[in-house]
Amino acid sequence: MRPRSINQVRLPGIRHVTEATGLGWAVTDRGSVTVNLFDYDLRRVARLAAPLDDPRMKVSATRRLVAAGDDHQIVVLDHDGAVRWRSSWDRLGGSTAGGFHLDGDHVLWIRLGDTLVAVHGVSGAEIHRTPLPGPGAAWFVHSPAGVWTGLTLLNPYESLAMLIRLDAGRIVSRPVAGGGLAGFSPAGGRYVTLTLDGLLSVRDAASDAVIAERHLEDLPGPPPSLPSCRDVDRAVFLSEDLILAALNTEDLPNDAEDHLLLSALSLRCRSQVRYPHHHSYGAVHPSYEPGRWLTRHHEDDQLRLWQLDARLDDEPMPGQLALL
């Protein structure tokens, strides 16, 4: 399957790309404290400098706010760069944050040591805090349904995932089965998880019931040319029916990746993505615009936006009947 190119942007020194909730993506530079905001058509909507000292900052953003944090402090700004509030991590009651995320209601979720803190993103007022297993890093995942936010607590052996939200001003959580939480379907009704040993799982978000679960080495219908796989680097929903899996492979140089389209109902391989350029396939980032995804390419400083726009490998040719 050859995807259609929607847009591409050259951004020298790309360091990190994260989803901007309800907007598109927030992108940082390796050599500056600049935050670039792009919409879901990969059009730049803002470029601002965070009042921090370390370009290795983490960022999160929404249609209205940008949160940026380094080893010492966190600051929340409007898109024009005006500072809403700032705080040291010590003042918030912990060491350097293990991760943070602005959700669609402008709640700032912070993994702070062995604590999860919910802060009002606009005012900086603390809403609630609750203990977490840890300390350690955290990975937040936006849910398009807007009810829950996904949280994965990372460790070298087995990741712990949960769904978090506020209820009457208090943090409530629900454990998620299957490994580290990778992403939600565009409607928010399903999620996909990964384990370090290559197990993929698609589950119902309301009940955690297994829809499909397979090991990377047991995916049905892989292309004959697929090299030996090392692990799944990323798995994101492109539509309610398709998941894009980025595989690290042993037989390709420089940890290049193969990208496969998998059925969201069976994890059967539907197609191999064949890009119209010669570079490695690039890191994958979800769009939540159905059928679209973003790739990041450090070797040529490019962000590329793609759209499903071709017949999948297992679909019949025009005039043929589908095999039952």
Side-chain angles (χ1 to χ4, degrees):
M1 189 281 298
R2 295 187 180 276
R4 179 163 58 99
S5 176
I6 299 297
N7 198 1
Q8 68 179 47
V9 172
R10 184 174 184 272
L11 192 66
I14 297 172
R15 182 178 182 273
H16 187 66
V17 178
T18 187
E19 185 184 4
T21 304
L23 173 66
W25 299 277
V27 186
T28 58
D29 302 339
R30 287 195 296 270
S32 72
V33 290
T34 302
V35 181
N36 303 274
L37 298 177
F38 295 92
D39 67 13
Y40 281 123
D41 290 319
L42 199 57
R43 297 174 301 196
R44 193 198 306 269
V45 297
R47 179 179 174 90
L48 60 144
L52 299 172
D53 298 324
D54 192 347
R56 296 173 298 175
M57 63 185 178
K58 299 175 182 178
V59 300
S60 182
T62 66
R63 290 181 178 272
R64 181 181 178 187
L65 301 176
V66 176
D70 59 16
D71 286 346
H72 306 290
Q73 61 180 317
I74 186 168
V75 59
V76 174
L77 311 98
D78 292 324
H79 283 196
D80 61 3
V83 175
R84 284 279 181 173
W85 60 272
R86 65 195 308 162
S87 175
S88 68
W89 297 123
D90 288 340
R91 193 187 312 163
L92 285 171
S95 57
T96 302
F100 54 86
H101 171 73
L102 277 166
D103 70 14
D105 294 321
H106 297 106
V107 175
L108 178 63
W109 298 95
I110 306 174
R111 168 70 188 266
L112 196 62
D114 58 359
T115 304
L116 177 64
V117 184
V119 176
H120 194 286
V122 176
S123 69
E126 181 174 323
I127 302 171
H128 190 231
R129 64 176 58 206
T130 189
L132 278 180
W139 173 268
F140 292 90
V141 181
H142 167 66
S143 171
V147 177
W148 297 91
T149 292
L151 171 62
T152 299
L153 307 179
L154 305 175
N155 66 61
Y157 306 105
E158 184 178 2
S159 297
L160 173 66
M162 63 185 70
L163 303 179
I164 56 175
R165 64 181 175 89
L166 289 175
D167 183 6
R170 300 184 64 83
I171 297 171
V172 295
S173 63
R174 176 165 69 84
V176 167
L181 188 58
F184 293 90
S185 63
R190 286 176 278 172
Y191 62 83
V192 59
T193 61
L194 303 171
T195 64
L196 295 176
D197 63 355
L199 184 68
L200 282 168
S201 179
V202 181
R203 295 173 183 256
D204 182 87
S207 66
D208 292 328
V210 175
I211 297 171
E213 190 170 68
R214 295 184 184 274
H215 194 275
L216 177 61
E217 296 179 352
D218 300 323
L219 297 179
S225 60
L226 184 67
S228 300
C229 296
R230 185 180 305 148
D231 55 51
V232 181
D233 180 64
R234 195 77 187 269
V236 299
F237 275 91
L238 299 188
S239 68
E240 293 299 311
D241 300 321
L242 289 174
I243 291 171
L244 177 65
L247 312 181
N248 288 328
T249 55
E250 296 177 348
D251 297 343
L252 296 179
N254 302 320
D255 290 332
E257 295 183 334
D258 261 310
H259 292 176
L260 299 181
L261 293 178
L262 308 178
S263 165
L265 297 179
S266 66
L267 291 179
R268 176 173 59 87
C269 183
R270 298 289 311 278
S271 196
Q272 185 172 13
V273 182
R274 294 177 287 274
Y275 294 94
H277 57 80
H278 301 293
H279 299 292
S280 61
Y281 285 10
V284 172
H285 300 276
S287 168
Y288 292 114
E289 291 287 318
R292 291 188 177 187
W293 69 100
L294 185 75
T295 57
R296 180 184 80 244
H297 306 263
H298 286 293
E299 69 277 4
D300 59 359
D301 296 319
Q302 293 281 351
L303 296 168
R304 293 184 171 99
L305 180 62
W306 304 98
Q307 171 76 49
L308 290 174
D309 192 41
R311 185 180 61 88
L312 301 184
D313 293 348
D314 65 349
E315 290 181 346
M317 295 293 291
Q320 286 182 326
L321 295 176
L323 296 176
L324 299 179

